[in-house]
Amino acid sequence: MKPLLRDAMDNGYAVAAFNLVDYNTTKAMVKAAEELNAPVICQTSSKTIKYFSHKEIVSWVRTVAEDSPVPVVLHLDHCHDIAMIEECAKAGWTSIMIDASELPFEQNLEQSLKVREIAEKYGVGMEAELGQIMGVEDDMVVDEADSVLTDPEDAKRFCDALDLSAFACAVGTAHGYYKGEPVVDFDRIQAINTLTKTPMALHGGTGLSDETFAKAIARGAAKVNISTNLKHVWVKSFVDYHLAKPTDFEPLRVGDAQYQACKAMFHGFIEKFGGKDRGSAFVAKLG
Ligand code: 13P
């Protein structure tokens, strides 16, 4: 995760990070990345891990990624539970996230430093969050009134202490669909990036415009998270198939319709974030 996001930040592109929901979506995101010769981040929310298991998820990602020519990261998205974070690092996740952003600065940093030790112990990447991103993620709700945009000076202190692969911060985006036009603070993204020199994870990717993505990526967003959009395509492609072919009860054809729809969506985002043709170039740089 760390060298990959550095490469993205230094070269003005972002790596797409999708919250997988099952084996088929995992396979579709890696396939889409391969078709575009792009890196990709398969990420999991805690509730997905609780529903399946560490073992199942690692086996899916290994199956689709181990012979893949493109870089694939298995990342843990927003996690509040340090024991679970360590279990993921032990089980095969190549990057972990601590989200202690609801705590005051010092306590957030203290928790994040504990996870820093875990990341070092297992040799995996790490993301941590400062400021509070609006919306619902993994059943945690942050109202507009409670959301706090990240202060650039605090961000510097936080990042200097943690040496992160990715820094999650609140810059005006929100998890879930936007009710109105999102007000993204591009100057804040720039200020945070200038001070922290750390690749930024842009959360709340669903519903942002192409222009917003381009401006955020140009200012240091090196990882862009997409979750809600995938959930909608996953359900809608199933329903649409059944409505179009109400007498077809062959699960493999219905599943394939979902797979193709999700893959097309992944393609769109990977290209939009500038990931196309970055995969083999990055692998060559790693040596
Ligand atoms: P969306 O659900 O808005 O795409 O946000 C995803 C995200 O940021 C996951 O952490």
Side-chain angles (χ1 to χ4, degrees):
M1 180 79 131
K2 195 170 190 186
L4 177 61
L5 294 188
R6 286 273 153 197
D7 186 70
M9 185 175 81
D10 293 346
N11 292 290
Y13 70 97
V15 183
F18 303 111
N19 291 58
L20 62 86
V21 298
D22 62 2
Y23 175 68
N24 242 9
T25 49
T26 310
K27 185 172 161 183
M29 59 186 78
V30 173
K31 214 20 162 195
E34 285 176 4
E35 287 169 5
L36 291 166
N37 179 19
V40 70
I41 298 167
C42 306
Q43 60 184 18
T44 52
S45 60
S46 304
K47 69 178 173 202
T48 312
I49 302 171
K50 284 182 198 144
Y51 182 82
F52 295 105
S53 65
H54 291 82
K55 198 172 158 195
E56 268 177 87
I57 292 173
V58 168
S59 77
W60 299 341
V61 179
R62 279 231 167 91
T63 302
V64 296
E66 83 189 337
D67 296 324
S68 178
V70 296
V72 178
V73 176
L74 173 55
H75 175 69
L76 172 65
D77 195 22
H78 299 275
C79 191
H80 307 265
D81 176 353
I82 294 193
M84 184 170 193
I85 294 173
E86 177 144 23
E87 248 185 282
C88 285
K90 205 194 263 179
W93 266 250
T94 53
S95 180
I96 49 181
M97 176 178 185
I98 168 80
D99 178 357
S101 60
E102 75 282 6
L103 299 174
F105 182 93
E106 295 302 338
Q107 283 164 263
N108 181 352
L109 183 57
E110 191 185 312
Q111 294 293 304
S112 302
L113 282 167
K114 287 188 189 151
V115 172
R116 165 86 265 138
E117 283 175 27
I118 297 173
E120 274 164 22
K121 179 170 163 195
Y122 293 92
V124 297
M126 174 179 170
E127 178 174 341
E129 178 170 329
L130 181 68
Q132 281 203 278
I133 299 166
M134 280 178 283
V136 184
E137 182 56 42
D138 212 32
D139 301 332
M140 285 279 296
V141 184
V142 179
D143 291 331
E144 200 170 342
D146 294 331
S147 88
V148 185
L149 294 187
T150 308
D151 175 73
E153 293 292 340
D154 287 348
K156 178 173 165 43
R157 265 185 69 208
F158 193 74
C159 289
D160 283 353
L162 288 166
D163 185 27
L164 299 170
S165 309
F167 176 46
C169 48
V171 291
T173 59
H175 293 124
Y177 276 109
Y178 292 93
K179 292 191 187 82
E181 197 52 40
V183 184
V184 179
D185 191 340
F186 297 108
D187 291 342
R188 190 176 296 267
I189 297 179
Q190 182 74 72
I192 290 173
N193 194 252
T194 304
L195 287 175
T196 65
K197 299 180 178 60
T198 302
M200 184 180 289
L202 188 70
H203 285 247
T206 299
L208 295 178
S209 67
D210 292 3
E211 194 195 345
T212 298
F213 286 131
K215 284 167 84 172
I217 292 168
R219 288 162 178 76
K223 168 178 184 270
V224 181
N225 289 4
I226 305 286
S227 175
T228 304
N229 206 155
L230 170 58
K231 294 177 189 173
H232 283 246
V233 171
W234 192 81
V235 173
K236 194 173 177 306
S237 54
F238 186 98
V239 172
D240 285 351
Y241 186 89
H242 182 60
L243 290 176
K245 299 191 174 175
T247 57
D248 186 359
F249 285 91
E250 170 49 56
L252 296 179
R253 277 195 292 271
V254 187
D256 192 57
Q258 267 187 316
Y259 172 82
Q260 298 300 342
C262 293
K263 184 153 76 69
M265 188 211 87
F266 298 140
H267 253 261
F269 283 115
I270 293 170
E271 277 211 273
K272 208 174 279 182
F273 304 158
K276 190 171 187 289
D277 289 330
R278 303 285 185 172
S280 51
F282 171 71
V283 172
K285 277 183 219 164
L286 276 186

